[in-house]
Amino acid sequence: EAQVTQNPRYLITVTGKKLTVTCSQNMNHEYMSWYRQDPGLGLRQIYYSMNVEVTDKGDVPEGYKVSRKEKRNFPLILESPSPNQTSLYFCASTPLGGSNQPQHFGDGTRLSIL
Amino acid sequence: LAKTTQPISMDSYEGQEVNITCSHNNIATNDYITWYQQFPSQGPRFIIQGYKTKVTNEVASLFIPADRKSSTLSLPRVSLSDTAVYYCLVGQRETNAGKSTFGDGTTLTVKP
Protein backbone atom coordinates (compact mmCIF):
# COMPACT_ATOMS: atom_id res chain seq x y z
CA GLU A 1 0.00 0.00 0.00
CA ALA A 2 1.30 3.43 -0.97
CA GLN A 3 1.79 5.47 2.14
CA VAL A 4 3.69 8.07 4.09
CA THR A 5 4.55 6.83 7.58
CA GLN A 6 5.40 9.08 10.48
CA ASN A 7 6.75 8.05 13.87
CA PRO A 8 5.98 8.59 16.61
CA ARG A 9 2.31 9.50 16.31
CA TYR A 10 2.30 11.11 19.74
CA LEU A 11 5.12 12.40 21.91
CA ILE A 12 5.25 14.33 25.16
CA THR A 13 8.68 15.56 26.09
CA VAL A 14 10.47 18.35 27.91
CA THR A 15 12.17 21.53 26.81
CA GLY A 16 15.68 21.06 25.47
CA LYS A 17 15.60 17.31 24.97
CA LYS A 18 16.54 16.59 21.38
CA LEU A 19 14.00 14.62 19.39
CA THR A 20 13.56 13.27 15.89
CA VAL A 21 10.33 12.60 14.05
CA THR A 22 10.81 10.13 11.25
CA CYS A 23 9.02 10.16 7.91
CA SER A 24 9.22 7.42 5.34
CA GLN A 25 7.46 6.99 1.99
CA ASN A 26 7.28 3.88 -0.16
CA MET A 27 6.27 5.53 -3.44
CA ASN A 28 9.75 6.51 -4.67
CA HIS A 29 8.72 10.16 -4.63
CA GLU A 30 11.33 12.83 -5.18
CA TYR A 31 9.72 15.61 -3.18
CA MET A 32 9.09 15.53 0.56
CA SER A 33 7.90 18.22 2.97
CA TRP A 34 7.26 18.89 6.62
CA TYR A 35 4.36 21.02 7.85
CA ARG A 36 3.12 22.10 11.22
CA GLN A 37 -0.49 22.85 11.97
CA ASP A 38 -1.67 25.04 14.81
CA PRO A 39 -5.21 26.14 15.67
CA GLY A 40 -6.18 29.18 13.63
CA LEU A 41 -2.96 29.14 11.60
CA GLY A 42 -3.61 26.41 9.09
CA LEU A 43 -0.76 24.39 7.58
CA ARG A 44 2.65 26.03 7.49
CA GLN A 45 5.57 24.51 5.65
CA ILE A 46 8.74 24.00 7.70
CA TYR A 47 11.19 22.47 5.23
CA TYR A 48 11.03 20.67 1.94
CA SER A 49 13.33 18.49 -0.09
CA MET A 50 13.45 18.11 -3.85
CA ASN A 51 15.66 15.02 -3.80
CA VAL A 52 18.45 13.33 -1.90
CA GLU A 53 20.77 15.89 -0.27
CA VAL A 54 18.64 18.79 -1.56
CA THR A 55 16.62 20.64 1.06
CA ASP A 56 15.27 24.16 1.46
CA LYS A 57 13.45 26.26 3.99
CA GLY A 58 9.73 26.68 4.03
CA ASP A 59 7.85 29.43 5.82
CA VAL A 60 8.70 28.52 9.43
CA PRO A 61 12.11 26.75 9.55
CA GLU A 62 13.43 28.27 12.79
CA GLY A 63 14.20 25.68 15.44
CA TYR A 64 14.10 22.72 13.05
CA LYS A 65 16.57 20.71 11.03
CA VAL A 66 16.05 18.13 8.32
CA SER A 67 18.15 15.73 6.33
CA ARG A 68 17.58 13.70 3.18
CA LYS A 69 20.24 11.01 2.98
CA GLU A 70 17.93 8.50 1.36
CA LYS A 71 15.10 9.07 -1.05
CA ARG A 72 12.47 7.40 1.10
CA ASN A 73 13.30 9.10 4.43
CA PHE A 74 13.01 12.71 5.54
CA PRO A 75 13.43 13.06 9.32
CA LEU A 76 12.54 16.24 11.19
CA ILE A 77 14.96 17.11 13.99
CA LEU A 78 14.31 19.40 16.93
CA GLU A 79 17.72 19.96 18.50
CA SER A 80 16.43 21.89 21.50
CA PRO A 81 12.65 21.75 21.56
CA SER A 82 10.70 24.58 23.15
CA PRO A 83 7.04 24.84 24.18
CA ASN A 84 6.21 26.96 21.11
CA GLN A 85 6.98 23.92 18.99
CA THR A 86 4.05 22.08 20.50
CA SER A 87 2.00 21.34 17.42
CA LEU A 88 0.61 18.77 15.01
CA TYR A 89 3.19 17.86 12.38
CA PHE A 90 2.61 16.38 8.93
CA CYS A 91 5.01 14.90 6.44
CA ALA A 92 4.11 14.78 2.75
CA SER A 93 5.59 13.40 -0.45
CA THR A 94 4.97 13.83 -4.16
CA PRO A 95 6.57 12.64 -7.37
CA LEU A 96 8.69 14.77 -9.65
CA GLY A 97 6.75 16.37 -12.47
CA GLY A 98 3.52 16.34 -10.56
CA SER A 99 0.55 14.10 -10.94
CA ASN A 100 -3.18 14.23 -10.37
CA GLN A 101 -2.45 13.65 -6.69
CA PRO A 102 0.24 16.20 -5.93
CA GLN A 103 0.87 15.61 -2.24
CA HIS A 104 0.43 12.49 -0.13
CA PHE A 105 0.28 13.23 3.57
CA GLY A 106 1.09 11.10 6.59
CA ASP A 107 -1.29 10.71 9.51
CA GLY A 108 0.47 13.30 11.62
CA THR A 109 2.59 13.48 14.76
CA ARG A 110 1.28 15.33 17.78
CA LEU A 111 4.15 16.82 19.78
CA SER A 112 3.80 18.33 23.24
CA ILE A 113 6.83 20.13 24.62
CA LEU A 114 6.55 20.86 28.34
CA LEU B 1 3.39 31.60 -4.85
CA ALA B 2 -0.03 33.14 -5.32
CA LYS B 3 -1.86 34.07 -2.13
CA THR B 4 -5.29 32.56 -1.79
CA THR B 5 -8.39 33.80 0.02
CA GLN B 6 -11.28 31.57 1.03
CA PRO B 7 -14.29 32.02 3.29
CA ILE B 8 -13.46 30.96 6.83
CA SER B 9 -16.55 28.82 7.24
CA MET B 10 -19.69 27.58 5.51
CA ASP B 11 -22.74 25.67 6.65
CA SER B 12 -24.88 23.37 4.56
CA TYR B 13 -27.43 20.59 4.88
CA GLU B 14 -27.28 17.03 3.75
CA GLY B 15 -28.19 16.55 0.11
CA GLN B 16 -27.37 20.11 -0.94
CA GLU B 17 -24.73 21.18 -3.41
CA VAL B 18 -21.92 23.19 -1.85
CA ASN B 19 -19.74 25.67 -3.69
CA ILE B 20 -16.56 26.99 -2.09
CA THR B 21 -14.79 29.80 -3.88
CA CYS B 22 -11.11 30.63 -3.67
CA SER B 23 -9.64 33.92 -4.85
CA HIS B 24 -6.12 33.96 -6.28
CA ASN B 25 -5.66 37.30 -8.02
CA ASN B 26 -1.90 36.88 -8.49
CA ILE B 27 -2.02 33.47 -10.15
CA ALA B 28 0.83 32.95 -12.59
CA THR B 29 0.58 31.56 -16.09
CA ASN B 30 2.03 28.17 -15.13
CA ASP B 31 0.13 27.79 -11.86
CA TYR B 32 -2.33 24.99 -11.23
CA ILE B 33 -5.14 25.07 -8.68
CA THR B 34 -5.40 22.19 -6.24
CA TRP B 35 -7.96 21.49 -3.54
CA TYR B 36 -7.47 19.37 -0.45
CA GLN B 37 -9.83 18.06 2.23
CA GLN B 38 -8.77 17.62 5.84
CA PHE B 39 -10.57 15.87 8.67
CA PRO B 40 -9.58 16.58 12.30
CA SER B 41 -6.22 15.08 13.27
CA GLN B 42 -5.66 13.65 9.78
CA GLY B 43 -3.42 14.75 6.95
CA PRO B 44 -4.94 16.66 4.05
CA ARG B 45 -6.25 14.54 1.21
CA PHE B 46 -6.16 15.55 -2.44
CA ILE B 47 -9.58 16.21 -3.97
CA ILE B 48 -9.10 17.76 -7.40
CA GLN B 49 -6.72 19.79 -9.52
CA GLY B 50 -7.23 21.98 -12.56
CA TYR B 51 -5.71 24.61 -14.79
CA LYS B 52 -8.65 26.15 -16.63
CA THR B 53 -12.36 25.72 -17.42
CA LYS B 54 -13.91 22.72 -15.69
CA VAL B 55 -12.58 19.55 -14.19
CA THR B 56 -14.76 16.79 -12.76
CA ASN B 57 -13.96 13.60 -10.91
CA GLU B 58 -15.94 11.16 -8.84
CA VAL B 59 -16.12 13.39 -5.79
CA ALA B 60 -16.11 17.02 -6.97
CA SER B 61 -16.01 19.53 -9.78
CA LEU B 62 -13.68 22.46 -10.15
CA PHE B 63 -14.74 25.53 -12.08
CA ILE B 64 -12.13 28.01 -13.23
CA PRO B 65 -13.16 31.15 -15.15
CA ALA B 66 -11.20 32.42 -18.12
CA ASP B 67 -9.20 34.97 -16.10
CA ARG B 68 -8.25 32.24 -13.57
CA LYS B 69 -8.31 34.73 -10.71
CA SER B 70 -10.68 32.55 -8.77
CA SER B 71 -11.88 28.97 -8.67
CA THR B 72 -14.90 27.20 -7.23
CA LEU B 73 -14.93 23.76 -5.71
CA SER B 74 -18.34 22.17 -6.10
CA LEU B 75 -19.41 19.24 -3.92
CA PRO B 76 -22.63 17.65 -5.15
CA ARG B 77 -25.17 16.40 -2.63
CA VAL B 78 -23.04 16.64 0.51
CA SER B 79 -23.40 14.28 3.42
CA LEU B 80 -22.42 14.58 7.09
CA SER B 81 -19.11 12.93 6.28
CA ASP B 82 -18.16 15.89 4.08
CA THR B 83 -17.78 18.03 7.18
CA ALA B 84 -14.11 19.02 7.00
CA VAL B 85 -11.69 21.83 6.23
CA TYR B 86 -11.10 22.51 2.53
CA TYR B 87 -7.90 24.12 1.32
CA CYS B 88 -7.18 25.79 -1.99
CA LEU B 89 -3.54 25.73 -3.09
CA VAL B 90 -2.11 27.54 -6.09
CA GLY B 91 1.26 26.86 -7.66
CA GLN B 92 3.10 25.08 -10.40
CA ARG B 93 2.74 21.34 -10.39
CA GLU B 94 6.38 20.94 -9.55
CA THR B 95 6.62 23.84 -7.14
CA ASN B 96 3.45 22.61 -5.49
CA ALA B 97 5.61 19.76 -4.39
CA GLY B 98 8.38 22.03 -3.21
CA LYS B 99 7.53 25.36 -1.67
CA SER B 100 3.89 25.26 -0.64
CA THR B 101 1.75 27.82 1.10
CA PHE B 102 -1.64 26.67 2.26
CA GLY B 103 -4.25 29.29 3.05
CA ASP B 104 -6.42 29.21 6.14
CA GLY B 105 -8.96 26.89 4.57
CA THR B 106 -12.75 26.81 4.70
CA THR B 107 -14.45 24.85 7.45
CA LEU B 108 -17.52 23.22 5.97
CA THR B 109 -20.15 22.00 8.41
CA VAL B 110 -22.87 19.77 7.00
CA LYS B 111 -25.98 19.53 9.13
CA PRO B 112 -28.64 16.80 9.06
Side-chain angles (χ1 to χ4, degrees):
Chain A
E1 178 189 353
Q3 58 186 4
V4 177
T5 304
Q6 298 178 224
N7 280 297
R9 293 291 314 282
Y10 304 91
L11 178 63
I12 301 173
T13 187
V14 296
T15 299
K17 185 177 181 181
K18 179 179 178 181
L19 67 90
T20 299
V21 184
T22 63
C23 175
S24 180
Q25 50 98 1
N26 62 1
M27 296 166 281
N28 201 37
H29 287 170
E30 284 74 16
Y31 289 94
M32 297 186 74
S33 290
W34 275 104
Y35 296 87
R36 63 177 289 176
Q37 187 169 36
D38 303 289
L41 294 177
L43 281 156
R44 295 181 292 169
Q45 192 178 42
I46 303 170
Y47 269 96
Y48 61 98
S49 170
M50 290 159 282
N51 215 322
V52 175
E53 303 292 3
V54 182
T55 63
D56 206 348
K57 297 177 180 178
D59 294 319
V60 288
E62 294 76 22
Y64 304 94
K65 287 176 58 178
V66 293
S67 68
R68 188 90 182 274
K69 292 182 169 48
E70 303 167 286
K71 196 173 186 179
R72 63 182 289 125
N73 296 322
F74 190 44
L76 179 69
I77 303 158
L78 284 71
E79 294 270 4
S80 183
S82 62
N84 64 12
Q85 293 177 299
T86 292
S87 187
L88 179 59
Y89 292 85
F90 291 102
C91 180
S93 76
T94 191
L96 181 68
S99 69
N100 286 329
Q101 297 195 16
Q103 294 193 60
H104 300 250
F105 284 82
D107 290 331
T109 295
R110 190 169 292 280
L111 286 183
S112 294
I113 315 295
L114 305 178
Chain B
L1 294 172
K3 178 178 167 54
T4 60
T5 303
Q6 304 172 231
I8 293 175
S9 64
M10 295 181 68
D11 290 341
S12 182
Y13 291 92
E14 284 190 289
Q16 289 188 333
E17 178 185 72
V18 170
N19 296 310
I20 306 174
T21 298
C22 179
S23 296
H24 27 80
N25 291 321
N26 297 323
I27 191 169
T29 302
N30 294 333
D31 284 346
Y32 283 75
I33 301 153
T34 310
W35 284 81
Y36 291 85
Q37 175 192 57
Q38 186 181 27
F39 298 112
S41 297
Q42 293 185 26
R45 183 175 68 99
F46 169 83
I47 301 175
I48 198 166
Q49 182 183 74
Y51 182 79
K52 62 180 179 180
T53 61
K54 177 184 175 182
V55 179
T56 297
N57 62 22
E58 62 276 7
V59 298
S61 294
L62 179 59
F63 298 91
I64 305 168
D67 67 5
R68 305 202 324 122
K69 293 184 183 300
S70 66
S71 58
T72 299
L73 174 72
S74 181
L75 305 172
R77 300 181 61 78
V78 294
S79 64
L80 297 177
S81 63
D82 292 316
T83 293
V85 179
Y86 293 83
Y87 292 96
C88 163
L89 189 64
V90 173
Q92 295 181 36
R93 264 190 182 168
E94 293 200 20
T95 58
N96 262 357
K99 189 85 162 65
S100 285
T101 301
F102 282 77
D104 293 334
T106 298
T107 299
L108 172 66
T109 303
V110 179
K111 302 175 183 178

PDB file of all heavy atoms in Angstrom, chain A residues 84-103:
ATOM      1  N   ASN A  84       6.892  26.408  22.291  1.00  0.00           N
ATOM      2  CA  ASN A  84       6.210  26.964  21.108  1.00  0.00           C
ATOM      3  C   ASN A  84       6.288  26.037  19.893  1.00  0.00           C
ATOM      4  O   ASN A  84       5.738  26.358  18.837  1.00  0.00           O
ATOM      5  CB  ASN A  84       6.730  28.359  20.770  1.00  0.00           C
ATOM      6  CG  ASN A  84       8.186  28.377  20.367  1.00  0.00           C
ATOM      7  OD1 ASN A  84       8.790  27.341  20.120  1.00  0.00           O
ATOM      8  ND2 ASN A  84       8.762  29.564  20.291  1.00  0.00           N
ATOM      9  N   GLN A  85       6.969  24.918  20.052  1.00  0.00           N
ATOM     10  CA  GLN A  85       6.981  23.916  18.987  1.00  0.00           C
ATOM     11  C   GLN A  85       5.957  22.804  19.236  1.00  0.00           C
ATOM     12  O   GLN A  85       5.894  21.830  18.485  1.00  0.00           O
ATOM     13  CB  GLN A  85       8.380  23.331  18.822  1.00  0.00           C
ATOM     14  CG  GLN A  85       9.381  24.353  18.292  1.00  0.00           C
ATOM     15  CD  GLN A  85      10.782  23.817  18.199  1.00  0.00           C
ATOM     16  OE1 GLN A  85      11.392  23.424  19.204  1.00  0.00           O
ATOM     17  NE2 GLN A  85      11.316  23.814  16.994  1.00  0.00           N
ATOM     18  N   THR A  86       5.182  22.981  20.274  1.00  0.00           N
ATOM     19  CA  THR A  86       4.048  22.079  20.502  1.00  0.00           C
ATOM     20  C   THR A  86       3.070  22.273  19.353  1.00  0.00           C
ATOM     21  O   THR A  86       2.594  23.382  19.110  1.00  0.00           O
ATOM     22  CB  THR A  86       3.367  22.401  21.838  1.00  0.00           C
ATOM     23  OG1 THR A  86       4.253  22.058  22.905  1.00  0.00           O
ATOM     24  CG2 THR A  86       2.062  21.627  21.980  1.00  0.00           C
ATOM     25  N   SER A  87       2.806  21.198  18.621  1.00  0.00           N
ATOM     26  CA  SER A  87       2.002  21.335  17.424  1.00  0.00           C
ATOM     27  C   SER A  87       1.686  19.957  16.851  1.00  0.00           C
ATOM     28  O   SER A  87       2.153  18.935  17.343  1.00  0.00           O
ATOM     29  CB  SER A  87       2.768  22.164  16.379  1.00  0.00           C
ATOM     30  OG  SER A  87       1.966  22.452  15.256  1.00  0.00           O
ATOM     31  N   LEU A  88       0.889  19.963  15.793  1.00  0.00           N
ATOM     32  CA  LEU A  88       0.608  18.766  15.010  1.00  0.00           C
ATOM     33  C   LEU A  88       1.447  18.853  13.736  1.00  0.00           C
ATOM     34  O   LEU A  88       1.357  19.841  13.007  1.00  0.00           O
ATOM     35  CB  LEU A  88      -0.882  18.695  14.678  1.00  0.00           C
ATOM     36  CG  LEU A  88      -1.373  17.527  13.836  1.00  0.00           C
ATOM     37  CD1 LEU A  88      -1.054  16.187  14.503  1.00  0.00           C
ATOM     38  CD2 LEU A  88      -2.885  17.661  13.607  1.00  0.00           C
ATOM     39  N   TYR A  89       2.259  17.842  13.490  1.00  0.00           N
ATOM     40  CA  TYR A  89       3.192  17.863  12.375  1.00  0.00           C
ATOM     41  C   TYR A  89       2.788  16.838  11.306  1.00  0.00           C
ATOM     42  O   TYR A  89       2.411  15.713  11.622  1.00  0.00           O
ATOM     43  CB  TYR A  89       4.609  17.540  12.856  1.00  0.00           C
ATOM     44  CG  TYR A  89       5.189  18.623  13.721  1.00  0.00           C
ATOM     45  CD1 TYR A  89       4.933  18.669  15.089  1.00  0.00           C
ATOM     46  CD2 TYR A  89       5.993  19.618  13.170  1.00  0.00           C
ATOM     47  CE1 TYR A  89       5.454  19.676  15.886  1.00  0.00           C
ATOM     48  CE2 TYR A  89       6.521  20.625  13.952  1.00  0.00           C
ATOM     49  CZ  TYR A  89       6.241  20.647  15.306  1.00  0.00           C
ATOM     50  OH  TYR A  89       6.762  21.649  16.088  1.00  0.00           O
ATOM     51  N   PHE A  90       2.913  17.261  10.051  1.00  0.00           N
ATOM     52  CA  PHE A  90       2.608  16.379   8.935  1.00  0.00           C
ATOM     53  C   PHE A  90       3.783  16.322   7.970  1.00  0.00           C
ATOM     54  O   PHE A  90       4.398  17.339   7.658  1.00  0.00           O
ATOM     55  CB  PHE A  90       1.386  16.859   8.162  1.00  0.00           C
ATOM     56  CG  PHE A  90       0.098  16.733   8.903  1.00  0.00           C
ATOM     57  CD1 PHE A  90      -0.490  17.834   9.502  1.00  0.00           C
ATOM     58  CD2 PHE A  90      -0.530  15.499   9.006  1.00  0.00           C
ATOM     59  CE1 PHE A  90      -1.683  17.712  10.190  1.00  0.00           C
ATOM     60  CE2 PHE A  90      -1.722  15.367   9.694  1.00  0.00           C
ATOM     61  CZ  PHE A  90      -2.300  16.475  10.289  1.00  0.00           C
ATOM     62  N   CYS A  91       4.048  15.129   7.499  1.00  0.00           N
ATOM     63  CA  CYS A  91       5.011  14.902   6.439  1.00  0.00           C
ATOM     64  C   CYS A  91       4.243  14.605   5.156  1.00  0.00           C
ATOM     65  O   CYS A  91       3.151  13.996   5.203  1.00  0.00           O
ATOM     66  CB  CYS A  91       5.909  13.723   6.803  1.00  0.00           C
ATOM     67  SG  CYS A  91       7.156  13.304   5.580  1.00  0.00           S
ATOM     68  N   ALA A  92       4.775  15.029   4.019  1.00  0.00           N
ATOM     69  CA  ALA A  92       4.107  14.781   2.748  1.00  0.00           C
ATOM     70  C   ALA A  92       5.138  14.441   1.682  1.00  0.00           C
ATOM     71  O   ALA A  92       6.296  14.849   1.774  1.00  0.00           O
ATOM     72  CB  ALA A  92       3.292  16.002   2.319  1.00  0.00           C
ATOM     73  N   SER A  93       4.705  13.706   0.667  1.00  0.00           N
ATOM     74  CA  SER A  93       5.592  13.402  -0.453  1.00  0.00           C
ATOM     75  C   SER A  93       4.831  13.535  -1.758  1.00  0.00           C
ATOM     76  O   SER A  93       3.596  13.435  -1.792  1.00  0.00           O
ATOM     77  CB  SER A  93       6.176  11.989  -0.326  1.00  0.00           C
ATOM     78  OG  SER A  93       5.218  11.004  -0.662  1.00  0.00           O
ATOM     79  N   THR A  94       5.562  13.747  -2.836  1.00  0.00           N
ATOM     80  CA  THR A  94       4.967  13.833  -4.156  1.00  0.00           C
ATOM     81  C   THR A  94       6.015  13.513  -5.212  1.00  0.00           C
ATOM     82  O   THR A  94       7.204  13.760  -4.988  1.00  0.00           O
ATOM     83  CB  THR A  94       4.355  15.231  -4.381  1.00  0.00           C
ATOM     84  OG1 THR A  94       3.575  15.235  -5.553  1.00  0.00           O
ATOM     85  CG2 THR A  94       5.433  16.284  -4.500  1.00  0.00           C
ATOM     86  N   PRO A  95       5.583  12.983  -6.344  1.00  0.00           N
ATOM     87  CA  PRO A  95       6.570  12.640  -7.374  1.00  0.00           C
ATOM     88  C   PRO A  95       7.023  13.849  -8.177  1.00  0.00           C
ATOM     89  O   PRO A  95       6.318  14.848  -8.275  1.00  0.00           O
ATOM     90  CB  PRO A  95       5.800  11.657  -8.266  1.00  0.00           C
ATOM     91  CG  PRO A  95       4.370  12.049  -8.094  1.00  0.00           C
ATOM     92  CD  PRO A  95       4.238  12.523  -6.677  1.00  0.00           C
ATOM     93  N   LEU A  96       8.175  13.742  -8.761  1.00  0.00           N
ATOM     94  CA  LEU A  96       8.694  14.770  -9.654  1.00  0.00           C
ATOM     95  C   LEU A  96       7.775  14.900 -10.855  1.00  0.00           C
ATOM     96  O   LEU A  96       7.268  13.895 -11.361  1.00  0.00           O
ATOM     97  CB  LEU A  96      10.101  14.375 -10.110  1.00  0.00           C
ATOM     98  CG  LEU A  96      10.833  15.352 -11.032  1.00  0.00           C
ATOM     99  CD1 LEU A  96      11.160  16.628 -10.269  1.00  0.00           C
ATOM    100  CD2 LEU A  96      12.097  14.717 -11.563  1.00  0.00           C
ATOM    101  N   GLY A  97       7.565  16.147 -11.289  1.00  0.00           N
ATOM    102  CA  GLY A  97       6.745  16.366 -12.473  1.00  0.00           C
ATOM    103  C   GLY A  97       5.281  16.438 -12.172  1.00  0.00           C
ATOM    104  O   GLY A  97       4.477  16.716 -13.055  1.00  0.00           O
ATOM    105  N   GLY A  98       4.915  16.206 -10.934  1.00  0.00           N
ATOM    106  CA  GLY A  98       3.519  16.339 -10.559  1.00  0.00           C
ATOM    107  C   GLY A  98       2.680  15.172 -11.026  1.00  0.00           C
ATOM    108  O   GLY A  98       3.125  14.305 -11.761  1.00  0.00           O
ATOM    109  N   SER A  99       1.478  15.150 -10.566  1.00  0.00           N
ATOM    110  CA  SER A  99       0.547  14.096 -10.943  1.00  0.00           C
ATOM    111  C   SER A  99      -0.829  14.617 -10.593  1.00  0.00           C
ATOM    112  O   SER A  99      -0.987  15.736 -10.145  1.00  0.00           O
ATOM    113  CB  SER A  99       0.842  12.805 -10.187  1.00  0.00           C
ATOM    114  OG  SER A  99       0.523  12.963  -8.827  1.00  0.00           O
ATOM    115  N   ASN A 100      -1.852  13.805 -10.785  1.00  0.00           N
ATOM    116  CA  ASN A 100      -3.175  14.231 -10.372  1.00  0.00           C
ATOM    117  C   ASN A 100      -3.378  14.135  -8.869  1.00  0.00           C
ATOM    118  O   ASN A 100      -4.441  14.471  -8.366  1.00  0.00           O
ATOM    119  CB  ASN A 100      -4.232  13.410 -11.095  1.00  0.00           C
ATOM    120  CG  ASN A 100      -4.332  13.843 -12.543  1.00  0.00           C
ATOM    121  OD1 ASN A 100      -4.107  14.991 -12.850  1.00  0.00           O
ATOM    122  ND2 ASN A 100      -4.641  12.910 -13.410  1.00  0.00           N
ATOM    123  N   GLN A 101      -2.389  13.655  -8.148  1.00  0.00           N
ATOM    124  CA  GLN A 101      -2.452  13.648  -6.694  1.00  0.00           C
ATOM    125  C   GLN A 101      -1.137  14.216  -6.176  1.00  0.00           C
ATOM    126  O   GLN A 101      -0.229  13.490  -5.798  1.00  0.00           O
ATOM    127  CB  GLN A 101      -2.670  12.227  -6.165  1.00  0.00           C
ATOM    128  CG  GLN A 101      -3.988  11.635  -6.627  1.00  0.00           C
ATOM    129  CD  GLN A 101      -4.388  10.408  -5.839  1.00  0.00           C
ATOM    130  OE1 GLN A 101      -3.854  10.147  -4.779  1.00  0.00           O
ATOM    131  NE2 GLN A 101      -5.330   9.650  -6.374  1.00  0.00           N
ATOM    132  N   PRO A 102      -1.034  15.542  -6.180  1.00  0.00           N
ATOM    133  CA  PRO A 102       0.236  16.199  -5.928  1.00  0.00           C
ATOM    134  C   PRO A 102       0.924  15.864  -4.617  1.00  0.00           C
ATOM    135  O   PRO A 102       2.120  15.640  -4.602  1.00  0.00           O
ATOM    136  CB  PRO A 102      -0.130  17.672  -5.989  1.00  0.00           C
ATOM    137  CG  PRO A 102      -1.323  17.736  -6.850  1.00  0.00           C
ATOM    138  CD  PRO A 102      -2.090  16.482  -6.532  1.00  0.00           C
ATOM    139  N   GLN A 103       0.211  15.861  -3.514  1.00  0.00           N
ATOM    140  CA  GLN A 103       0.872  15.605  -2.244  1.00  0.00           C
ATOM    141  C   GLN A 103       0.150  14.513  -1.458  1.00  0.00           C
ATOM    142  O   GLN A 103      -1.045  14.565  -1.285  1.00  0.00           O
ATOM    143  CB  GLN A 103       0.951  16.886  -1.402  1.00  0.00           C
ATOM    144  CG  GLN A 103       1.844  17.950  -2.030  1.00  0.00           C
ATOM    145  CD  GLN A 103       2.178  19.087  -1.090  1.00  0.00           C
ATOM    146  OE1 GLN A 103       2.771  18.886  -0.034  1.00  0.00           O
ATOM    147  NE2 GLN A 103       1.827  20.290  -1.478  1.00  0.00           N
TER     148      GLN A 103
END
